């Protein structure tokens, strides 16, 4: 079970858009539409932002969107705001009731 | 309001054992798969183990298989992780997380486990 590959960092100015990628294999990201994304501020617990590749939980702004193509999933944050500065992790079901997370991306606004 | 509160972490010597717990409230605990997810200092998230609603199925990441045991007590709305033969690389904040729609929809604040002599 290898961690999913994410860029270590991403950045954008307030109001801009940024996209974070998450690359796995056909055994995880590419094999299931069960990719989720989590936001983690320093010293805090992760928060679910996207599930099922592109669905938003209640209360998550529609500035956050998700997509997937082949073995790579993506999280796009539009209209960047200062409070979006955080670490972001992708996760995927990996079969056999097991899960895998990405390495994490530090988003700087 | 869904709440998950971990407790019982601490300092343990290499090769030693530790058991810690997660108290759940605000939802029907017995209706959900539950997981433990850990985060080593300055590192990313790692899924550790999960358990089915009735405790009949348990799954583990390869690195802890045979050393860690996940369990639950639905009458007490509690989730547990028993760690045996611990190693330095098990040092992490351990989060309790509820399984939602093919995701982890609620998380506790975590409990720190430090493996050191």
């Amino acid at each position: 079970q290898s961690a999913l590959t994410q860029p270590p960092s991403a950045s954008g100015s307030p109001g801009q858009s940024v996209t974070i990628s998450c690359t796995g294999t056909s055994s995880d990201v590419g094999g299931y539409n069960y990719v989720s994304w989590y936001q983690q501020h320093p010293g805090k617990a992760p928060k679910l932002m996207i599930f099922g590749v592109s669905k938003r939980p209640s209360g998550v702004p529609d500035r956050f969107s998700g997509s997937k193509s082949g073995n790579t999933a993506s999280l796009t944050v539009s209209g960047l705001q200062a409070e979006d500065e955080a670490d972001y992790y992708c996760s995927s079901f990996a079969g056999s009731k097991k899960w895998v997370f990405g390495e994490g991306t530090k988003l700087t606004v | 309001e869904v709440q998950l509160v971990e407790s019982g972490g601490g300092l343990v010597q290499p090769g030693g054992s530790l058991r810690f717990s997660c108290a759940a409230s605000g939802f029907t605990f017995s209706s959900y798969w539950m997981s433990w997810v850990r985060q080593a200092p300055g590192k990313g998230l790692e899924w550790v183990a999960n358990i089915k609603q009735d405790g009949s199925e348990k799954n583990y990441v390869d690195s802890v298989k045979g050393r860690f045991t996940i369990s639950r007590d639905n009458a007490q709305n509690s989730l547990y992780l028993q760690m045996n033969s611990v190693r330095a690389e098990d040092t992490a904040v351990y989060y309790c997380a509820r399984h939602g729609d093919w995701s982890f929809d609620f998380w506790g604040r975590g409990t720190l486990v430090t493996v050191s002599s």
Side-chain angles (χ1 to χ4, degrees), chain B residues 19-83:
Chain B
R19 183 185 193 235
F20 49 88
S21 61
C22 168
S25 61
F27 66 101
T28 304
F29 179 71
S30 59
S31 296
Y32 290 84
W33 279 78
M34 297 295 296
S35 270
W36 288 103
V37 177
R38 68 184 177 183
Q39 186 170 34
K43 302 295 185 182
L45 301 171
E46 180 184 35
W47 173 80
V48 174
N50 63 12
I51 185 168
K52 194 176 180 179
Q53 291 91 331
D54 61 359
S56 63
E57 185 173 346
K58 305 173 184 181
N59 302 283
Y60 301 90
V61 69
D62 288 348
S63 59
V64 309
K65 206 174 296 183
R67 300 188 300 121
F68 290 10
T69 301
I70 188 172
S71 62
R72 65 191 297 162
D73 183 339
N74 287 340
Q76 298 292 323
N77 291 331
S78 294
L79 179 72
Y80 305 98
L81 189 67
Q82 173 73 45
M83 306 171 62

Side-chain angles (χ1 to χ4, degrees), chain A residues 1 33-36 38 40 43-48 50-52 87 89 91 93 96-104, chain B residues 33 35 37 39 43-47 50 57 59-63 65 95 99 101-110:
Chain A
Q1 295 160 262
N33 286 324
Y34 299 143
V35 176
S36 48
Y38 303 85
Q40 186 180 35
K44 302 294 187 182
K47 175 187 175 183
L48 176 65
I50 295 287
F51 68 97
D87 294 327
Y89 294 91
S91 178
F93 182 65
S96 302
K97 307 292 176 62
K98 298 186 178 184
W99 297 81
V100 63
F101 282 91
E103 300 158 330
Chain B
W33 279 78
S35 270
V37 177
Q39 186 170 34
K43 302 295 185 182
L45 301 171
E46 180 184 35
W47 173 80
N50 63 12
E57 185 173 346
N59 302 283
Y60 301 90
V61 69
D62 288 348
S63 59
K65 206 174 296 183
Y95 295 102
H99 281 246
D101 288 326
W102 298 99
S103 61
F104 305 96
D105 62 354
F106 286 95
W107 299 63
R109 293 191 170 191

